[in-house]
Amino acid sequence: QVQMVQSGGGVVRPGGSLRLSCAASFSSLGIHWVRQTPARGLEWVAVILFDDNRELFADSVQGRFTLSRDKSNNTVFLQMNSLRLEDTGVYYCARAPYYDALTGGAYFDDWGQGSRVAVSS
Amino acid sequence: EIVMTQSPATLSVSLGETATLSCRASQSITRTLAWYQQKPGQAPRLLISAASTRATGVPARFWGSGSETEFTLTINNLQSEDVAVYFCQQYFHRPSFGQGTKVDIK
């Protein structure tokens, strides 16, 4: 059975940083991050594609969030910098059985358990 | 960005009855639509992809239909374990989600 185990998260002041990790028990084309915030509901955040190590980000986090990968233990890291109040929410990593490289279209058939991020002054 | 709009926000249905949830896309997405179920404290669970293809293990009482801009999730013979929030999501372009429909028991 596919498993994705997340760690990280916590409380941080505006402008601060946090790192989330997602360890997957499978090989895939890439790992996506989706967040659920009070303001915007479910929102796709980012993807790291394993074939070419390409990283794509939503406009709302572009320039503030980065992705990295540890191939040795199939773990992906979401580094979140310059955090804002509106970044508060639950962050999920997710696997996409379908990904359209041309459009960025994807849906998600397996999700991590979620990591809570609270940005508060 | 393709905007997904779900209705109603809340739906109360009697046990054994049928729940009908709607999802509208701001432009044609052909059939690139997924439905998810989310229970409190849990991650979303994929129910349906390609507008009408049930994911592995999803009961046959969940039925997806529609194309272009109008989509429907029908839950037949509603069970207590179906109480949840249901989200639609397009994948014609970068993913975007509806705001959800909460289903509870009347």
Side-chain angles (χ1 to χ4, degrees):
Chain A
Q1 181 177 342
V2 172
Q3 263 200 316
M4 306 176 73
V5 179
Q6 297 183 226
S7 59
V11 182
V12 64
R13 296 200 185 279
S17 298
L18 281 174
R19 190 176 82 155
L20 307 181
S21 66
C22 174
S25 64
F26 58 90
S27 296
S28 71
L29 295 176
I31 295 294
H32 295 252
W33 290 86
V34 176
R35 67 183 180 183
Q36 190 165 27
T37 68
R40 299 172 70 116
L42 284 166
E43 179 187 17
W44 177 84
V45 172
V47 60
I48 181 166
L49 300 166
F50 294 161
D51 55 354
D52 58 4
N53 280 324
R54 197 156 42 109
E55 303 161 23
L56 299 169
F57 297 92
D59 292 346
S60 56
V61 306
Q62 181 77 50
R64 301 188 296 125
F65 290 13
T66 60
L67 287 163
S68 60
R69 177 188 175 202
D70 181 344
K71 292 182 185 179
S72 65
N73 58 11
N74 219 20
T75 299
V76 169
F77 303 96
L78 178 66
Q79 178 67 41
M80 305 183 293
N81 300 325
S82 302
L83 282 163
R84 305 168 179 168
L85 295 174
E86 57 265 33
D87 294 321
T88 293
V90 179
Y91 286 69
Y92 298 98
C93 59
R95 183 184 79 154
Y98 168 90
Y99 180 73
D100 187 324
L102 202 60
T103 66
Y107 69 90
F108 312 106
D109 68 346
D110 197 66
W111 299 63
Q113 80 276 21
S115 296
R116 291 195 174 274
V117 171
V119 184
S120 174
S121 55
Chain B
E1 178 187 345
I2 299 174
V3 177
M4 307 301 293
T5 304
Q6 292 185 242
S7 62
T10 302
L11 187 60
S12 296
V13 179
S14 300
L15 289 172
E17 297 299 308
T18 297
T20 303
L21 291 67
S22 296
C23 174
R24 174 175 292 176
S26 61
Q27 67 179 73
S28 175
I29 58 169
T30 61
R31 291 176 60 81
T32 54
L33 184 99
W35 287 96
Y36 301 87
Q37 175 192 67
Q38 187 178 33
K39 297 181 178 180
Q42 297 183 17
R45 170 199 177 197
L46 177 68
L47 294 177
I48 286 172
S49 62
S52 61
T53 302
R54 277 188 298 275
T56 303
V58 175
R61 64 178 182 273
F62 290 90
W63 185 263
S65 62
S67 64
E68 306 296 337
T69 62
E70 300 285 342
F71 299 87
T72 301
L73 176 68
T74 302
I75 310 173
N76 294 309
N77 186 23
L78 191 80
Q79 303 295 301
S80 57
E81 61 263 33
D82 300 335
V83 169
V85 180
Y86 293 84
F87 295 94
C88 61
Q89 177 235 316
Q90 64 79 22
Y91 52 99
F92 189 76
H93 286 309
R94 280 191 180 181
S96 57
F97 296 81
Q99 76 279 24
T101 292
K102 182 178 180 180
V103 174
D104 60 26
I105 304 298
K106 186 186 292 184

